[in-house]
Amino acid sequence: MAARLLKLSSLATAVFASSGFYFYNKQLDLSDLSVVRFGRAAATTAVISYDYLTAFKHVESGTEEYSALKSQVHRRSAERLRDLCCANRGTFIKVGQHLGALDYLLPEEYTSTLKVLHSSAPQSSMEEIRQVIREDLGKELSDLFVSFEERPQGAASLAQVHKAVLHDGRTVALKIQHPKVQTQSSKDIMVMEVLLKAIHWLFPDFAFMWLVEEAKKNMPLELDFLNEGHNAEKVASMLAHFPFLKVPMIHWDLSTKRILTMEFIEGGQVNDKNYMKEHDINVNEISENLGKLYSEMIFVHGFVHCDPHPGNVLVRKCPQSKKMEIVLLDHGLYQALQPDFRLNYCRLWMSLIKGDMSGVERYSRRLGAGDLYPLFACVLTARSWDAVNAGISSVPVTHAEDVEIRTNAALYLPQISDLLNRVPRQMLLLLKTNDLLRGIETTLQTRAASSSFINMSRCCIRAMARHKRSRAQSRRRRLQIALTESLSLWKLSVYELFLWVRGSMLARWLAALLPPFLH
């Protein structure tokens, strides 16, 4: 096996070296050349594979030395993968960001190392930006804007955002696609597919082909900024009953597939606790409202914003009302859930919250987990099996449990890979969304608050009632369903009131006063 891998490594190195020699001194960015991008990716893959194949030869499995060495190999490999993503940019960074978000699915060494990709995306030059605007909008910058800030507000894997002022005085944000991403993305995905198949041949337990399948499906959608604009308008309309949600308005006359012009909104990132403290924003209110938004999207509507990393979720005080607002950005990646999938997902979460283990098994199997349903429940909730058995709403999260989950992610990587290849493709982006939201809660120190489970339960009850009403044959049956729904929601509200009273100052005051009278 090692000899076979050495041949692969030698071939990859030769391809990379020869391509570099051929284009030496030419007026080209080598990273734009497919042969260089492939050579770089192949060489990195070979080095990582060789490291895993040879590092453990003289160490006994299960020992402390083995565990320490495995952590070192994970860390080295993650750093090599990060460097590859930074060098090849574009689609590679996007996939690396996806991996970095899977906190409870991958070893900590990978997720912590790859998380930096959210803040180290490349920037296009100002000349490239001018060219894209010229090609897509047919005018020069000076014809379109009174002012245009050359320094981007932020740069991501596929685009960067610039602040500008229109001739009528309105301030806008322009999301402008990196000019080379469109032509490179399909080739990059093909390279990843080839290399992942090679890794699976060397390591049969490594089954991450779902990454390529997701990239194939989602990348064309994310590269179409008109699609992103339509998603933004759809979710703004769908969730208009939440006064705390703000979605930037789209300027369609200045938008194309590569340029999205929208209302400029200032705010702090949702994980910036210092910003919230300075602006007197309640972190618990932020966490609760974010939970309401995503529970509504997932369980009630089945139309889910799947990229809630902190850079895409801002918080602020509304300039007019002075009330807290959540600003949702980057609407390129949405998941439209199939009705049957959404309803089974509702039923599964209701079972998890209650600790109904027969329901957990039944609905996990319906969602494709099979005999791996215990692992699926732990992956979905990021809770231990003991907590799942007890009902996740009744057992608080502890630091020790979080450490246990992260450790198990490394130990059960082959089983997790198998699970991710079993479940419906829709589940993959939901898992990523769950992990990103959990990361925000962890930063804000509001993880597993009872309010989040109450909001989820409320949305699940509404979703199930809506489904039953759509299938009811008579007005009487629809009335029964509506009454049952109202009663269930009322019980939740009473329970929520009880929790509030129990945690309020009044309860503590009464508790302090009661003992003297009882004696």
Side-chain angles (χ1 to χ4, degrees), residues 169-193:
R170 288 177 295 174
T171 305
V172 295
L174 277 85
K175 182 176 179 179
I176 303 169
Q177 195 171 114
H178 299 311
K180 298 160 188 173
V181 171
Q182 286 274 4
T183 55
Q184 291 172 347
S185 63
S186 58
K187 296 172 187 175
D188 287 345
I189 291 170
M190 185 173 65
V191 166
M192 291 179 199
E193 186 170 19

Side-chain angles (χ1 to χ4, degrees), residues 286-317:
I286 291 290
S287 185
E288 182 177 351
N289 287 342
L290 197 58
K292 285 181 182 178
L293 286 178
Y294 274 86
S295 291
E296 185 93 5
M297 281 191 269
I298 292 169
F299 299 113
V300 179
H301 299 284
F303 187 68
V304 190
H305 179 278
C306 288
D307 204 9
H309 73 76
N312 290 339
V313 184
L314 305 182
V315 295
R316 69 168 192 168
K317 284 283 186 74

